[in-house]
Structure formats: structure tokens, C-alpha cells
Amino acid sequence: MKQLKQQVYEANMDLPRYGLVTFTWGNVSAIDRERQLVVIKPSGVAYQNMNVEDMVTVNLRGEVVEGHYKPSSDTATHLELYRRYEQLGGIVHTHSTYATAWAQAGMPVPALGTTHADYFAGDILCTRALTGDEVNSEYECNTGKVIIETVGDVNPLYTPGIVVYQHGPFSWGKSADEAVHNAVVMEEVAKMAWIACSINPHIRPIDNYLLNKHFLRKHGPNAYYGQT
Amino acid sequence: MKQLKQQVYEANMDLPRYGLVTFTWGNVSAIDRERQLVVIKPSGVAYQNMNVEDMVTVNLRGEVVEGHYKPSSDTATHLELYRRYEQLGGIVHTHSTYATAWAQAGMPVPALGTTHADYFAGDILCTRALTGDEVNSEYECNTGKVIIETVGDVNPLYTPGIVVYQHGPFSWGKSADEAVHNAVVMEEVAKMAWIACSINPHIRPIDNYLLNKHFLRKHGPNAYYGQT
Amino acid sequence: MKQLKQQVYEANMDLPRYGLVTFTWGNVSAIDRERQLVVIKPSGVAYQNMNVEDMVTVNLRGEVVEGHYKPSSDTATHLELYRRYEQLGGIVHTHSTYATAWAQAGMPVPALGTTHADYFAGDILCTRALTGDEVNSEYECNTGKVIIETVGDVNPLYTPGIVVYQHGPFSWGKSADEAVHNAVVMEEVAKMAWIACSINPHIRPIDNYLLNKHFLRKHGPNAYYGQT
Amino acid sequence: MKQLKQQVYEANMDLPRYGLVTFTWGNVSAIDRERQLVVIKPSGVAYQNMNVEDMVTVNLRGEVVEGHYKPSSDTATHLELYRRYEQLGGIVHTHSTYATAWAQAGMPVPALGTTHADYFAGDILCTRALTGDEVNSEYECNTGKVIIETVGDVNPLYTPGIVVYQHGPFSWGKSADEAVHNAVVMEEVAKMAWIACSINPHIRPIDNYLLNKHFLRKHGPNAYYGQT
């Protein structure tokens, strides 16, 4: 677990480095699938004062197993996603400016170009609104449920992020580091999509064959981008 | 008072650090409620040349009690607010870009998401225009009065900031440090709200139950965000 | 002249520091009114390689009096303004992003708030288009003439800057340093005005009494902002 | 070739320095016309870990001549352009935010002011969409072909960049360094054009005589900008 705590700590510290968080508005977790334990940022602790030992370890029922702090208030959302999707190794939540603006607008971030298609095999979906009941009881858990309802039965790594209506972005990946990487991508494509739509209100979505080409150039069995 | 001067000095120096001010366009004050004394930035002094000893101490009638400089030209506005609202420990005024743009637009910054709701229990209100008479006589004092007229009889810590029509943002908190924190939040949610409205002109305000949930998750007797 | 060269050098170096220039897209000059000599940036020299000795001294007819480089290609514009307006001690030209966008839009930057009014006693005007003849013969000189035609017979320090149609901003002041200060202000209020107009297409200009109040609070015989 | 590898390495490292790339989203190449060899960035290697020796040398058929890495996945696009246009010494591809937004909008970046005209003798063109066949077979090569189809038979140095539909910008120059310079210019004028069009939806293109004046002031036989 020591290694995982180090990874989660470093991934959390990457959030301010990439300009994704103001104050404490974000958290990263990662899971050890063998031991069924999740390491996550403590709640409301400032990044500049945080160190590896402050990370909190919880089991999949949300009980603290190790750590002197309370875990992130969003822990239940992370756990819901880990329980549902075996493919996930790391999860990130932020209030990054542009992705959050799309969440507030209540609209998916449309796939408009190859930058988007290099990472997402379609639009970055926006969840429906939670009901009053869902918010008033087990809110964080229900946030996870509405993400799952929106993602559905596909492989979540094909569109490794989502915006939660009137809230903000969640992203994920095979590791904490990859989840942060995808959070950076979401923020950048959310910014580009806003500007592109502002330039051309009659903009067309990316041609499907171009989207597939770029996604598969980087992912899947015949990928040829990079050194592997 | 030495400690308060140190706090006010540091809070003022945080303004350029957070990118909230250009040149000398901002000021922070704090109050010692027991002694009824307010410490505030000197008028028109550049941040890079300023030190703790340059802070000015005034009483609630605005008379300088200590300090070799004139106090901020906005001192009368701060004092008006301290006299009216016992809850306030610190006040900030800036011309930060996005909050000022909403002030110029003459519109409240609408509550559109949880980022906003984590700090403000409703829209960030915009004052009415001052009349010619109010501007020509005791302008800074009247700026305080119109803020009070807009905030009304509620606890001002529930919406810890406002935009003054055609002027810019004021924010506040239990301390100088908290007031600066809220100034950063206002600027960020003002930016997000602009972009969200630009993405979706038919945007809906945040669902009321979601707003309450987030505000109360961080504030009030049953708060569960953070470590306390 | 050594002191003036130092001032002009430092004022030029401030342009990249304030984020006002990309590459070599800007220049600052200052005038010694007694000797009728102007010091200006050399043409097309990169800021990071420039030193005090590279500044070029010209007389008011544009002849190089001292310096091993050719003066800025915009020198004739600067000289035209110095000859017409005795009040000017320093002039700045940049292609800063937001002010240039207004120049390209062919519209004055409207006075919308007190940030603007603290420095400009009205809109930041936009010149008319130059004619083909004016561009094809003595272009830089005619750029100065069209600025003068637009500013007219008022004290140019009351609105210390302008945008030249389809080109970009010029600003000025009593010294090179003050001219750079005003270039920073123009860029910031140009950005704020764009955002404010985007938030509210039916925006109203700043109330006249508020504009006067703020301008005179900082300028003129009864100014009370700052320490003097 | 050692010198060229050094130049290509440094030009690649300039991309993150100028804020043009996120992660590995960009590449620079340069050609040695005598030896008919091209040096280019390796595919998917992070800038912070890259050194001169990692650059890859290929011949004009795309065969690796030297280097321990695979060349950029966009190599075929670069080669297509070098084969067609003898004037090109360096080529850059990025996903820089504003230029990419115009590519996604599917519109040329219009020539609106002198900042643009100092480098581009007309609009920055946008290619047509590639067909499904062109994407599914020899995609990168066809990207080069559609750029050539759009640029046509003119001297490509007169408009040293283009945006590829739903993809992003390519720029070029007489050297790798000049190509990077033009990539910075494209990004800046793309940003300015977006803002200017947002300020004034009825904006007019730059007057033709002003465009020619500025382009020729910096380029061509009678250029008088700079020190040569």
C-alpha cells in the first residue's frame, strides 16, 4: 500500500500543478484490486501542507482502514465507480474551470476534433439532474450511481470522463496518474469546444471515421502512436 | 494590534499572488471588535514596496489612530459594513477581471453549480446604481450603504460577497484571510458563470436542493466537509 | 540623455514582463523636451538580447543622433504625436491581445466601469480607417496624423490611449513609465469590456457622474487617491 | 546532421515553453535539402524526458536512417509537404488551443489586422474534410495532400500556416525555428480573431492595401522592418 499511497499523493499534487484546482477543490484516488482497498485524499486539506502520510485508506464499504484524517467527502462516489467498473484503477474529481462550465450548462462536451478523439471515443457525456431525494439522502453515493447510469455498460476507458450536471467533471483511468492525465485532457477539450462553438454556432461534430481513426491510432490492438 | 496588522498585511499581499489585482487596485482590512479598531491597506501604495508597518489603523469613525500613511480611499465603505454587520471580521475590495465584468454588466452572478453553492447560499447580488447625489457627496460611504441595502437583514456570511454596479466586487468573512479566500472564489465562479452562459444561453439556475446541500455540507451545524 | 535611455530601456523591458508583447511586437519611447530628442527602441530587436546601449536617439525630424541600430519602424508615429502634444513625455505601442481585438473590431473600448474611469475620462477611441493613399505613402507618419485627428484638441492625458483601426493600441503619459502603466490599464479594461458586453449585450455605459467622480478622484486638483 | 538535430531538438522544446502543447501533442521537423534527410521528434515521448539523441532521422520515403525511436506518427504529413514545397526548411504541428478551435469550427482564420498581416499575406486557410477513404488509408500522407491542395501553387512562405479541418494547425518556415515562430503567431492571431469577431459580429476583413503594406514591410525586397 505504501507505493499506492505515494502514487495517490503525487497524483493529487499534480492537480494544482496542472492548474486544475483552486484551494482544495479536487481529489484523486486509486485502488489496489487485490486487497480491495482504495487510497484517497483527505477531506479539505490544503495541497501545500499535505504529505504522503495524510492519504487515507478505505475499504470498498468506505470504512477507514488506515490514516489519521477523514477521507474526501466525495469518497462514496469513487467507491461506487470502483465497485461497478473493474477496469478502473484511478479516479479524479475536480472543479476545473471549463469542464465545470459545461457541467453547469448541462450539456455534453461535443466531440469536435482529433484532440478530443485521441482520448474519448465520443462525446463527454453529461449526467441528468439528481432528484431532490437523491441529493438529500446518500448524495455522494447517488452521484456515483447517476454517473454509472449515464456511462452504462460500455468499457468506461473508452470515454474516460464525464461531467455531472450542475457540479463538475470526474475522470478515470487504469491508474491515478492516467486519471489525472485524462482530467487535463477533458479541461483542454472543454475549453477548445467552447471557443469553437463560439466561433461557429453551426459547427458540425467530428466525422465519425476521423474520430475512430484517432481513437484507435492511440488505443486498441492496432495502435501505432508512441513507442510501444 | 500587531498581530492584526500582520494578518492584514499578508492578506493584502495575497491579492497579487492570487492574480486578483493589477497595480494597486485592491485593499483588505480587518477589525479588532474589542478595541473597535480597523487595520487597512494604505492608499495607492504598490504591493511590492509595502511592508507591515505601512498598514493604517483607524477607528470606526475613520480617524487614523496609527500609521504614517493615508488609509485606502475606500476606507469609508469598509467601516460602513463593519458598523452594520457584527459578523464581519475582514473585508476585501478588488477589481478582479471576471467579477468586475459582471458588475459592469449590472447583473448578479447567478448560482449555476456546486462550486458556487459551496460558498454562496444564492446568487452573488449586484447593487443598484448610485444616484448622482450619492456619488457626489460621501461617495465611499454611500457605496457601503448601497451594499447594505442590497444584502439586507440576512447573515452576510451566507453570501460573502457582492458586486457593486459599474464598479467591482467586495467580499468578506470572519477574518481578513477568509475574505480573501472568498474573493478568489467569487472571481472563479464569475468566470465559470460567464463561460457557462456563453455555452448555453438557456441555462437554468442550480436546483435549489442541490444548492442547499452543498452550502450546508460546508457550513452550518451539520457540515461534514473538511477535518472538523 | 543617459538617464532617459535607461528609462526607455526599462520601460521597454516592462512590456514582456506585463505580458503585453509577443516577440518584438511593441516599442516604447520618451522625449527630452529641452533638447528636443527622443529615445526609442531599435527595430525588430528581441527583448531578451536588448540592453541600454541599443536604444536609439533621434531628433524630432527622425534623424538618428545616437545609436548603432535603426530606430523602431513606428518612430514616425511617435514623433508626430510628440510634435503635436506638448503634454506627452512617453509613448507606447503594442499588439496586446484584447486592445488589438477592439482595434480589429473597429470599435472604441466603451467606458463601462470605474476601472476604466480611474484612468480614462471617456471611451478609448478608435481611429477611422486610413485611406489607400495614406497607407501607401508615409504610412507611419499618417498613423500619427489619424490619431491626432481622433484625439483632437483636448488634453491627451485625459484619455491616455487609443486604438488604431485594424492595427492596435497606442498609449501615452508624462513619462515612458506612465505610458507603459496606461498600456497595462488599456489591455485590462479592454478585456473586461469584452467580457461584460458578452455577459450583457444590452449593457449601459457608465453613468456620467460616476465616471467623473472616479477620474477626478485620481486626477486633477482635488484628487484624493494615493499619498500625495 | 548533428547541428540539424540540435536545432530540431531545441525547436521542439520551444513548443511547451511557448504554451503551444499539452503533454506530447506537437512535433517539429527540419530538412537537410542537400542530403534529402529530415529530422523529426520521436512519437509520444514526453518533452521533459527528451534529449537531442532522441531525435529521429528519416529519408524522404519515410525510412528511419538514424535514431533509436519511432518517428512522430505525423511524419508522413511532414514529408509530403517537404517533397512538394522546396521553400520549406522546417514544419510544426501542434494542437494549440485557439488555432485548433478554428480548425474545429471549420473556418479560415480571417485576416483582420496588422498583427496577422505582418506574417500572413491573406487568411489562414482551412482545409476541406478528408473523405472516409482518405482517413482509412494512408491518413497522415493524405493530410499532407489536402494541405497541398489547399495551399496550391503559391509560395507557401506567404501564408506560412494552415488549419486542417477538425484537427489543428500546421505551420512552416525556412527553418525549424521560423516554423515555431509562425506557430506562435498563428495561435496569437487565432485568439485575437476569435475575440474581435465576438466583439463585432459584423467585422470587416483588413483593408487590402493595409494587409499588403504590413506584409511587405516585413517581407519581400523592400522590407524595412528590423535591422537588415
Side-chain angles (χ1 to χ4, degrees):
Chain A
M1 293 308 287
K2 206 177 166 184
Q3 203 184 344
L4 197 67
K5 279 168 81 171
Q6 184 70 34
Q7 285 168 18
V8 170
Y9 168 71
E10 282 172 16
N12 271 291
M13 295 308 286
D14 276 341
L15 297 185
R17 207 172 293 143
Y18 282 120
L20 295 180
V21 297
T22 303
F23 300 126
T24 61
W25 307 352
N27 44 70
V28 185
S29 71
I31 188 166
D32 181 326
R33 285 281 172 192
E34 262 181 53
R35 306 192 192 185
Q36 298 273 297
L37 293 175
V38 169
V39 177
I40 193 165
K41 182 179 174 293
S43 182
V45 172
Y47 291 96
Q48 66 269 28
N49 306 324
M50 208 166 70
N51 60 59
V52 181
E53 295 311 310
D54 298 335
M55 299 301 105
V56 185
T57 306
V58 299
N59 62 27
L60 281 173
R61 292 183 303 279
E63 296 154 352
V64 173
V65 170
E66 194 193 25
H68 46 274
Y69 275 132
K70 282 166 56 187
S72 164
S73 58
D74 296 311
T75 300
T77 313
H78 292 239
L79 297 182
E80 197 68 25
L81 296 173
Y82 284 126
R83 281 192 300 257
R84 173 62 182 82
Y85 296 114
E86 291 246 318
Q87 301 92 333
L88 304 190
I91 296 176
V92 172
H93 171 50
T94 76
H95 290 232
S96 64
T97 311
Y98 297 93
T100 302
W102 283 93
Q104 294 186 350
M107 292 165 64
V109 183
L112 298 174
T114 60
T115 318
H116 186 116
D118 278 336
Y119 293 88
F120 292 83
D123 292 350
I124 299 173
L125 300 176
C126 181
T127 69
R128 65 165 170 83
L130 291 177
T131 65
D133 283 353
E134 286 168 334
V135 166
N136 288 324
S137 164
E138 306 214 315
Y139 167 56
E140 290 82 5
C141 183
N142 287 327
T143 300
K145 285 192 204 304
V146 82
I147 293 174
I148 291 166
E149 177 188 322
T150 312
V151 171
D153 285 334
V154 304
N155 181 343
L157 297 176
Y158 286 2
T159 51
I162 206 169
V163 292
V164 175
Y165 182 60
Q166 296 186 336
H167 187 162
F170 282 78
S171 65
W172 45 75
K174 290 196 287 290
S175 65
D177 189 53
E178 195 179 291
V180 170
H181 191 102
N182 290 332
V184 174
V185 174
M186 273 186 75
E187 180 66 359
E188 180 61 18
V189 299
K191 182 177 184 184
M192 283 177 175
W194 165 53
I195 298 168
C197 291
S198 164
I199 291 172
N200 183 359
H202 306 295
I203 198 165
R204 294 180 46 222
I206 187 170
D207 291 325
N208 217 52
Y209 49 84
L210 186 58
L211 181 133
N212 290 333
K213 173 71 184 177
H214 266 264
F215 188 76
L216 297 172
R217 197 170 83 147
K218 275 206 164 181
H219 309 271
N222 298 313
Y224 59 93
Y225 181 92
Q227 296 300 332
T228 47
Chain B
M1 294 307 287
K2 203 176 167 186
Q3 204 185 343
L4 198 67
K5 279 168 80 171
Q6 184 69 34
Q7 286 168 16
V8 170
Y9 167 71
E10 283 172 14
N12 271 290
M13 295 307 286
D14 276 341
L15 297 185
R17 208 172 293 144
Y18 282 120
L20 296 179
V21 297
T22 303
F23 300 126
T24 62
W25 307 352
N27 44 71
V28 185
S29 71
I31 189 167
D32 180 326
R33 285 283 173 192
E34 261 181 54
R35 305 193 193 185
Q36 299 272 297
L37 293 176
V38 169
V39 177
I40 193 164
K41 182 180 175 291
S43 181
V45 172
Y47 290 96
Q48 65 268 29
N49 305 325
M50 209 166 68
N51 59 59
V52 182
E53 295 311 310
D54 298 335
M55 299 301 104
V56 186
T57 307
V58 299
N59 62 27
L60 281 174
R61 291 182 305 281
E63 295 154 352
V64 174
V65 170
E66 194 192 26
H68 46 274
Y69 275 133
K70 283 167 54 187
S72 164
S73 58
D74 297 311
T75 300
T77 312
H78 291 239
L79 297 181
E80 197 68 27
L81 295 174
Y82 284 127
R83 282 194 300 257
R84 173 62 183 81
Y85 296 113
E86 290 245 318
Q87 301 93 331
L88 305 190
I91 296 175
V92 171
H93 171 49
T94 75
H95 289 232
S96 64
T97 311
Y98 298 94
T100 300
W102 282 94
Q104 293 186 350
M107 291 166 64
V109 183
L112 298 174
T114 60
T115 318
H116 185 115
D118 279 335
Y119 294 88
F120 293 83
D123 292 351
I124 299 173
L125 300 177
C126 180
T127 70
R128 66 165 170 82
L130 291 177
T131 66
D133 283 354
E134 286 169 333
V135 166
N136 289 323
S137 165
E138 305 213 316
Y139 167 57
E140 289 83 6
C141 183
N142 286 328
T143 299
K145 285 192 204 303
V146 82
I147 293 173
I148 291 166
E149 177 188 322
T150 312
V151 171
D153 286 334
V154 304
N155 182 341
L157 298 177
Y158 286 2
T159 50
I162 206 169
V163 292
V164 175
Y165 182 61
Q166 295 186 336
H167 186 163
F170 283 78
S171 65
W172 44 75
K174 290 196 287 290
S175 64
D177 189 53
E178 195 178 292
V180 171
H181 191 102
N182 290 331
V184 174
V185 173
M186 274 186 75
E187 181 66 358
E188 180 60 19
V189 299
K191 183 177 183 183
M192 282 177 177
W194 165 53
I195 298 168
C197 292
S198 164
I199 291 172
N200 183 359
H202 306 294
I203 199 166
R204 295 180 45 222
I206 186 170
D207 291 326
N208 217 52
Y209 49 84
L210 186 58
L211 181 132
N212 291 333
K213 173 70 183 178
H214 267 264
F215 188 75
L216 297 171
R217 196 170 83 148
K218 275 206 163 181
H219 309 270
N222 298 313
Y224 60 93
Y225 181 92
Q227 296 300 332
T228 47
Chain C
M1 293 307 287
K2 204 176 167 184
Q3 203 184 344
L4 198 67
K5 278 168 81 171
Q6 183 70 35
Q7 285 168 17
V8 170
Y9 167 71
E10 283 172 14
N12 271 291
M13 295 307 286
D14 276 341
L15 297 185
R17 208 172 292 144
Y18 282 120
L20 295 179
V21 297
T22 303
F23 299 126
T24 61
W25 308 350
N27 44 70
V28 185
S29 71
I31 188 167
D32 180 328
R33 285 283 173 191
E34 261 181 54
R35 305 194 194 184
Q36 299 274 294
L37 293 175
V38 168
V39 177
I40 193 164
K41 181 179 176 293
S43 181
V45 171
Y47 290 96
Q48 66 268 30
N49 305 326
M50 207 167 70
N51 60 59
V52 182
E53 295 312 310
D54 298 334
M55 300 300 106
V56 186
T57 307
V58 298
N59 64 24
L60 282 173
R61 290 183 305 281
E63 295 153 351
V64 174
V65 170
E66 193 192 26
H68 46 274
Y69 275 133
K70 282 166 57 187
S72 164
S73 58
D74 297 311
T75 300
T77 313
H78 291 240
L79 297 181
E80 196 68 27
L81 295 173
Y82 284 127
R83 281 193 300 256
R84 173 60 183 83
Y85 296 114
E86 289 246 318
Q87 300 94 332
L88 304 190
I91 296 175
V92 172
H93 171 50
T94 75
H95 289 233
S96 64
T97 312
Y98 298 94
T100 301
W102 283 93
Q104 293 186 349
M107 292 167 64
V109 183
L112 298 175
T114 60
T115 318
H116 185 116
D118 278 337
Y119 293 89
F120 292 83
D123 292 350
I124 299 173
L125 300 176
C126 181
T127 69
R128 65 165 170 82
L130 291 177
T131 64
D133 282 354
E134 286 169 334
V135 166
N136 288 323
S137 164
E138 306 212 316
Y139 167 57
E140 289 83 5
C141 183
N142 286 328
T143 299
K145 285 192 204 303
V146 81
I147 293 174
I148 291 167
E149 177 188 322
T150 312
V151 171
D153 284 334
V154 304
N155 181 342
L157 297 177
Y158 286 2
T159 50
I162 206 168
V163 291
V164 175
Y165 181 61
Q166 296 184 335
H167 187 162
F170 283 78
S171 64
W172 44 75
K174 291 197 285 290
S175 64
D177 189 53
E178 195 178 291
V180 170
H181 191 101
N182 290 332
V184 174
V185 174
M186 274 185 75
E187 181 65 358
E188 180 61 20
V189 300
K191 183 178 184 182
M192 283 177 176
W194 165 54
I195 298 168
C197 292
S198 164
I199 292 172
N200 183 359
H202 306 293
I203 199 165
R204 295 181 43 224
I206 186 169
D207 291 326
N208 217 51
Y209 49 83
L210 185 59
L211 181 133
N212 290 334
K213 174 69 183 180
H214 267 264
F215 188 77
L216 297 171
R217 194 169 85 146
K218 276 206 163 181
H219 309 270
N222 298 315
Y224 60 93
Y225 181 93
Q227 296 300 331
T228 47
Chain D
M1 292 308 288
K2 206 177 165 184
Q3 204 185 343
L4 197 67
K5 279 167 80 172
Q6 183 70 35
Q7 286 169 18
V8 170
Y9 168 72
E10 282 172 14
N12 271 292
M13 294 308 286
D14 276 341
L15 297 185
R17 208 172 292 143
Y18 282 120
L20 295 179
V21 297
T22 302
F23 300 125
T24 60
W25 307 351
N27 44 70
V28 186
S29 70
I31 188 166
D32 179 327
R33 285 284 173 191
E34 260 180 55
R35 304 193 194 186
Q36 298 273 296
L37 293 175
V38 169
V39 177
I40 194 164
K41 182 179 175 293
S43 181
V45 172
Y47 290 97
Q48 65 268 30
N49 305 325
M50 208 168 68
N51 60 59
V52 181
E53 295 311 311
D54 298 335
M55 298 301 106
V56 186
T57 307
V58 299
N59 63 26
L60 282 173
R61 291 182 305 279
E63 296 153 351
V64 174
V65 170
E66 193 193 26
H68 47 275
Y69 275 133
K70 281 167 56 188
S72 165
S73 58
D74 297 310
T75 300
T77 313
H78 292 239
L79 296 182
E80 196 68 26
L81 295 173
Y82 284 127
R83 281 194 299 257
R84 172 61 182 83
Y85 296 114
E86 290 246 318
Q87 300 94 332
L88 304 190
I91 296 176
V92 172
H93 171 49
T94 76
H95 290 232
S96 64
T97 311
Y98 298 94
T100 301
W102 283 94
Q104 294 186 348
M107 291 166 63
V109 183
L112 297 175
T114 60
T115 318
H116 185 116
D118 278 336
Y119 293 88
F120 292 83
D123 293 350
I124 299 173
L125 300 176
C126 181
T127 69
R128 65 166 170 82
L130 291 176
T131 65
D133 283 353
E134 285 169 333
V135 166
N136 289 323
S137 164
E138 306 213 315
Y139 168 57
E140 290 82 6
C141 182
N142 286 328
T143 299
K145 285 192 204 304
V146 81
I147 293 174
I148 290 167
E149 177 189 322
T150 312
V151 171
D153 284 335
V154 304
N155 181 342
L157 297 176
Y158 285 3
T159 51
I162 206 168
V163 292
V164 175
Y165 181 61
Q166 295 185 336
H167 187 162
F170 283 78
S171 66
W172 45 75
K174 290 196 285 292
S175 64
D177 189 54
E178 195 179 292
V180 170
H181 191 102
N182 290 332
V184 174
V185 173
M186 273 185 76
E187 180 66 359
E188 180 60 19
V189 300
K191 182 177 184 183
M192 284 178 175
W194 165 53
I195 299 169
C197 291
S198 164
I199 292 173
N200 183 358
H202 306 294
I203 198 166
R204 294 180 45 223
I206 186 170
D207 291 325
N208 218 52
Y209 48 84
L210 186 59
L211 181 132
N212 290 333
K213 174 69 183 179
H214 267 264
F215 188 76
L216 297 171
R217 194 170 85 147
K218 276 207 163 180
H219 308 271
N222 298 313
Y224 60 93
Y225 181 91
Q227 297 300 331
T228 47

